[in-house]
Amino acid sequence: MNKDTASLNKEERVALTLRGVYESLGYRKYKMSRFEEYAFYLNYKSFLPFDRIITFTDIDGKLMALKPDVTLSIVKNAKEYKGGFEKLYYIENVYKPDKNSRKFKEISQIGLEALGEIDGYTTFEVISLALRSLEAIEDDFVLDISHIGIVMGLFDCGELKGKECKDKIIECIVSKNPHDLAKILAELGVSAETSERFKKLITITGNLGEALAEIRGIVINEEMQKACEELEGVWRSLKGSPYESKVKIDFSIINDINYYCGIIFQGYVRRVPRMVLSGGRYDKLLKELGKDVGAIGFALVTDELNGYYGDSDVLDADAVVIYQKGADPKALFNAIESLTEKGIKVRAETSKPDNLRYGKLYKFEGGKLEEYDV
Amino acid sequence: MFNIALPKGRLAEKVCGLLAGIGFDTSEVMSDSRRLVFTDAEGKVSYFLVKPSDVAIYVERGVADIGVVGKDILLETKPDVYELLDLGIGKCTMSVAAKEGFRENKERPLRVATKFVNIASEYYSSLNREIEIIKLNGSIELAPILDMSDVIVDIVETGTTLKNNNMKVISQIMPISARLIANKTSYKFKSGFIDELTEKLAEAIK
């Protein structure tokens, strides 16, 4: 490991790696303003997956919000890019309500957004960057991919009505629950053929390339056909790359149907027991904000990484120098510098520290450094 | 190592029986009820015996790859896990019960005593009925007897406890049974093993 980065924790190292990865493809860093007007978030509340935001009244009486989301802010501030793209990444902390503690939680997040007329290349570029983001955490990772058009297209089969039944069916798909799904569809009087197609949304899993034939088998309308073709396009680009086996199809990853359209994906790494990356195509938000372009992006939640990948086992100091009070400051500093010049991290102390992890121990006496056993 | 969280008590025995039937070595789990962690002879599978309402937490946090939990707990706590199979055991009904001869006064909010705050709230909100929730942790039947509540929302298996306390079921909310759940990350990396186990269990309970 590079000596300069050896003392960084996992989260910092991932951030450092990804800055390089994103910038290598021309993504520019976006810095979000700490506070933004609450009225903006209120107008687009349906695009946030939660409804609580930390607010406060600014000195001029305006109600302000403390960073609930970065994407909304990026989209709001993005210029119209006709025939071109806005490509940005961010490393930010956001504040969201925590389901378990029922308090607000600070979440550190690294994300990336491409805004413009999204084509096959940009979709593949963002998916590739999502894969490299997961790889920056560990080699054992999976990117699940899906397409909202397949799932929503099936709802347009003409046999289902009402929002409530749709929500219940989606709940079953998200939790891969075929038994309750079958019951709900039977109660709604849905035909056996359509029920089987819905069940397939749970059972079609595994390698994207191998699953495509099965996906083609459940297509019933144009929307699904188009979605299937987009997935085929992703597979064609992916085939033969080192990431080929890392991308799996999984229709249960319905992130948020109000927000996403088109291709969506979620990333998992072996050591973290929940999803760490989520993203996809989100043109609806741009339309809502009056921008006639598309967008695709993702966010990687990094604040739990340090916990799951262990704290850094790097020493706090390579050496500790013990000196007596009243020692000549200049002579002591010069002696310490003779060590730091060799690249040794040194800490000066007046007694043996017991809350520090260190390598060698030196005594500074008579103007000289003398090593002795820890 | 593959980790399985099981609910302590009667259900654990039934689940161990099912797992033993599809080739898992659960003999130790069934023999000793005081220990909390068991590993099979080959050292490949570990079993944790935990409070039934905590199984989903162990699975959601990935300490256990899979677990068995009642649908009541899943509906109440909505953990972020996969629900792979209805095991068809531990069957009961989430019900509303009241004292014999109870007549609802619709002019005021209904006082509902329950352990299942979310299930009760969702049920009455679907009926547009205003309620006052009284959260209890056990002996729910006592609440209407002492006139602390009008009704209770609880799981009813045989109805004997209700009968002994001069109460009866006045409406059924939904059937409940034990479900096989899996951690989402575990499923991504061990799907072959988990799918095979699910299929074998599904076959065994047919």
Side-chain angles (χ1 to χ4, degrees):
Chain A
M1 197 182 294
N2 186 327
K3 202 161 174 59
D4 293 334
T5 59
S7 62
L8 298 183
N9 63 33
K10 185 75 180 176
E11 187 183 339
E12 291 164 335
R13 245 179 289 142
V14 167
L16 189 68
T17 308
L18 292 182
R19 281 185 77 136
V21 170
Y22 300 159
E23 283 175 9
S24 75
L25 284 171
Y27 285 74
R28 290 184 302 137
K29 189 159 189 239
Y30 177 84
K31 181 76 194 142
M32 190 181 170
S33 148
R34 197 171 301 271
F35 314 125
E36 298 202 342
E37 282 186 39
Y38 176 69
F40 168 67
Y41 291 104
L42 193 64
N43 286 340
Y44 300 99
K45 225 170 180 175
S46 63
F47 289 100
L48 288 175
F50 47 90
D51 55 4
R52 295 295 185 87
I53 297 174
I54 301 181
T55 56
F56 69 97
T57 311
D58 212 341
I59 298 168
D60 62 1
K62 264 188 195 152
L63 193 60
M64 305 297 282
L66 177 62
K67 292 202 265 194
D69 184 75
V70 188
T71 307
L72 271 174
S73 168
I74 287 186
V75 172
K76 181 182 75 170
N77 293 313
K79 293 182 199 89
E80 198 84 30
Y81 271 77
K82 282 276 178 201
F85 296 100
E86 177 79 294
K87 293 186 178 185
L88 300 165
Y89 76 92
Y90 60 85
I91 300 170
E92 293 277 355
N93 288 348
V94 292
Y95 302 87
K96 296 178 180 181
D98 180 46
K99 184 185 122 191
N100 295 322
S101 66
R102 309 186 88 187
K103 288 184 189 300
F104 280 102
K105 196 179 169 193
E106 185 178 55
I107 295 164
S108 52
Q109 196 167 277
I110 300 177
L112 178 143
E113 319 285 352
L115 283 65
E117 277 161 30
I118 306 301
D119 53 4
Y121 171 74
T122 317
T123 303
F124 185 63
E125 181 180 271
V126 171
I127 291 174
S128 301
L129 288 170
L131 285 158
R132 288 169 74 180
S133 303
L134 293 167
E135 196 178 31
I137 303 173
E138 70 164 297
D139 290 338
D140 212 355
F141 64 90
V142 167
L143 187 78
D144 278 343
I145 191 165
S146 172
H147 197 297
I148 290 275
I150 299 278
V151 183
M152 290 303 121
L154 204 46
F155 276 100
D156 290 336
C157 61
E159 293 185 48
L160 295 156
K161 280 176 191 79
K163 189 186 170 295
E164 205 183 323
C165 84
K166 194 172 172 182
D167 289 347
K168 279 188 181 164
I169 292 170
I170 288 178
E171 226 177 274
C172 290
I173 298 170
V174 168
S175 60
K176 290 190 186 286
N177 173 344
H179 38 278
D180 288 336
L181 176 70
K183 257 187 244 165
I184 293 168
L185 294 172
E187 279 166 21
L188 291 167
V190 170
S191 69
E193 221 182 348
T194 302
S195 292
E196 193 50 38
R197 286 202 173 91
F198 270 104
K199 195 181 163 196
K200 285 259 167 81
L201 291 182
I202 297 176
T203 56
I204 297 178
T205 50
N207 184 281
L208 175 60
E210 287 160 20
L212 281 169
E214 263 194 285
I215 300 170
R216 278 182 220 116
I218 60 165
V219 168
I220 51 161
N221 52 31
E222 212 179 308
E223 187 183 2
M224 292 176 83
Q225 180 59 35
K226 212 176 137 242
C228 190
E229 282 165 13
E230 266 191 67
L231 287 173
E232 283 167 350
V234 172
W235 175 245
R236 276 196 301 274
S237 311
L238 206 59
K239 210 174 159 191
S241 86
Y243 299 119
E244 186 184 323
S245 63
K246 300 286 189 188
V247 180
K248 316 262 183 194
I249 192 82
D250 193 327
F251 293 113
S252 78
I253 57 158
I254 310 170
N255 297 349
D256 183 350
I257 50 167
N258 292 322
Y259 187 86
Y260 288 106
C261 59
I263 298 249
I264 50 170
F265 44 86
Q266 284 184 355
Y268 290 82
V269 287
R270 190 179 268 272
R271 282 206 230 171
V272 182
R274 60 191 122 259
M275 170 185 87
V276 290
L277 181 146
S278 106
R281 188 86 188 254
Y282 59 92
D283 300 7
K284 283 187 207 171
L285 175 63
L286 282 100
K287 291 236 156 51
E288 193 77 17
L289 279 152
K291 295 178 198 259
D292 192 21
V293 285
I296 185 166
F298 60 82
L300 183 72
V301 177
T302 53
D303 59 0
E304 286 188 321
L305 295 183
N306 292 342
Y308 288 108
Y309 288 86
D311 300 322
S312 163
D313 53 3
V314 176
L315 299 174
D316 298 314
D318 299 321
V320 165
V321 170
I322 310 283
Y323 66 95
Q324 279 173 337
K325 281 180 187 160
D328 175 27
K330 190 178 172 187
L332 174 60
F333 194 74
N334 285 343
I336 289 172
E337 265 205 329
S338 71
L339 294 175
T340 58
E341 275 165 4
K342 292 177 201 160
I344 297 170
K345 280 193 291 178
V346 186
R347 168 131 157 178
E349 287 281 351
T350 49
S351 62
K352 211 168 150 180
D354 50 13
N355 59 348
L356 211 66
R357 286 178 305 174
Y358 55 93
K360 289 179 177 172
L361 196 61
Y362 291 91
K363 227 179 212 174
F364 180 72
E365 258 174 352
K368 276 195 297 189
L369 282 179
E370 200 181 312
E371 188 181 337
Y372 67 99
D373 287 341
V374 177
Chain B
M1 180 66 83
F2 192 77
N3 298 314
I4 304 178
L6 298 174
K8 259 195 252 177
R10 270 181 301 167
L11 199 53
E13 281 173 37
K14 286 186 185 170
V15 179
C16 282
L18 276 177
L19 287 170
I22 60 163
F24 281 76
D25 173 14
T26 56
S27 50
E28 255 202 90
V29 192
M30 290 197 268
S31 68
D32 184 349
S33 60
R34 284 182 179 248
R35 271 167 58 201
L36 298 172
V37 181
F38 305 85
T39 304
D40 68 347
E42 287 179 56
K44 284 188 179 159
V45 182
S46 268
Y47 303 88
F48 313 139
L49 281 180
V50 302
K51 200 175 166 184
S53 54
D54 289 342
V55 169
I57 300 173
Y58 283 80
V59 175
E60 189 180 25
R61 301 195 72 92
V63 181
D65 296 299
I66 62 164
V68 172
V69 62
K71 182 71 179 175
D72 50 333
I73 309 291
L74 293 177
L75 289 167
E76 182 61 24
T77 60
K78 296 195 163 52
D80 186 22
V81 296
Y82 291 136
E83 181 187 327
L84 302 174
L85 184 66
D86 181 350
L87 291 167
I89 51 173
K91 280 187 178 173
C92 51
T93 311
M94 184 63 69
S95 308
V96 182
K99 278 194 287 188
E100 286 282 353
F102 167 74
R103 227 181 121 254
E104 187 177 338
N105 179 354
K106 300 219 169 183
E107 285 180 37
R108 61 167 175 81
L110 187 71
R111 296 170 304 160
V112 182
T114 186
K115 258 196 286 195
F116 302 99
V117 172
N118 295 329
I119 294 176
S121 304
E122 271 174 37
Y123 173 68
Y124 282 104
S125 129
S126 77
L127 301 176
N128 289 328
R129 176 73 169 108
E130 193 186 343
I131 59 165
E132 181 193 331
I133 289 264
I134 303 162
K135 162 96 166 97
L136 293 177
N137 297 303
S139 306
I140 318 289
E141 298 81 7
L142 201 55
I145 293 170
L146 302 176
D147 201 28
M148 182 161 77
S149 78
D150 300 309
V151 298
I152 63 168
V153 166
D154 206 2
I155 45 173
V156 177
E157 205 176 332
T158 58
T160 316
T161 317
L162 290 179
K163 215 170 180 182
N164 291 345
N165 287 294
N166 197 29
M167 289 174 72
K168 65 168 185 184
V169 169
I170 55 171
S171 49
Q172 295 188 332
I173 301 179
M174 67 191 80
I176 301 290
S177 56
R179 309 291 164 104
L180 177 73
I181 59 169
N183 173 269
K184 290 195 168 179
T185 300
S186 297
Y187 188 80
K188 306 294 162 195
F189 295 96
K190 300 173 185 174
S191 64
F193 188 80
I194 296 175
D195 280 341
E196 195 189 326
L197 181 150
T198 309
E199 272 167 39
K200 280 185 184 167
L201 279 176
E203 198 57 39
I205 57 173
K206 250 184 190 170

